[in-house]
Amino acid sequence: MIIAMFVGMFALGMLQSALGLGLSHDRQPELAYLVMAFDMSVGMAAWMRIRGHGWAPTLEMCAVMFLPVVPLFPLLWLGAIDGGVLMVVAHVAMFPLMLVAMLRRRDEHAGCAH
């Protein structure tokens, strides 16, 4: 699944750059993170649907890509963290949150529902 996330992030990121829609992580960290989370979600959702996962677990896993920034954006706006810290902390938090989502639907993610 992580490979699918990277494929989505890199493929859509390259497309956005080719179209002149690239974002600066330094100047626009909020928007840059949200676009990157969307790109990762597209790749992950495509792979999950190919693998036969239902829409509910797929959308839950996509929500996990966005969830870490909820508490981080206010810290960014207050100047307590910068865009680099936002990216690192959000990406580190993403993996345990993905595990929680998978454990929540253990049968689906363990291959028992396929």
Side-chain angles (χ1 to χ4, degrees):
M1 194 167 334
I2 294 170
I3 293 170
M5 290 166 48
F6 281 123
V7 168
M9 183 174 63
F10 289 122
L12 292 174
M14 288 188 330
L15 177 63
Q16 291 157 3
S17 290
L19 295 173
L21 302 174
L23 296 168
S24 167
H25 292 280
D26 294 325
R27 290 186 314 246
Q28 303 157 309
E30 302 97 326
L31 188 55
Y33 181 84
L34 293 173
V35 169
M36 184 172 28
F38 175 80
D39 295 348
M40 288 189 290
S41 295
V42 168
M44 181 177 53
W47 183 246
M48 287 181 72
R49 295 297 294 162
I50 287 168
R51 301 280 301 153
H53 291 276
W55 277 112
T58 300
L59 294 175
E60 288 171 2
M61 199 63 79
C62 290
V64 167
M65 302 296 104
F66 297 90
L67 190 61
V69 298
V70 172
L72 295 177
F73 277 170
L75 296 174
L76 180 71
W77 300 330
L78 293 171
I81 63 172
D82 63 14
V85 172
L86 173 94
M87 291 290 179
V88 170
V89 173
H91 280 85
V92 169
M94 192 182 298
F95 293 105
L97 290 170
M98 287 174 69
L99 178 60
V100 169
M102 287 189 284
L103 291 174
R104 185 172 180 276
R105 295 185 183 267
R106 187 172 298 161
D107 286 345
E108 172 119 11
H109 291 284
C112 303
H114 299 287

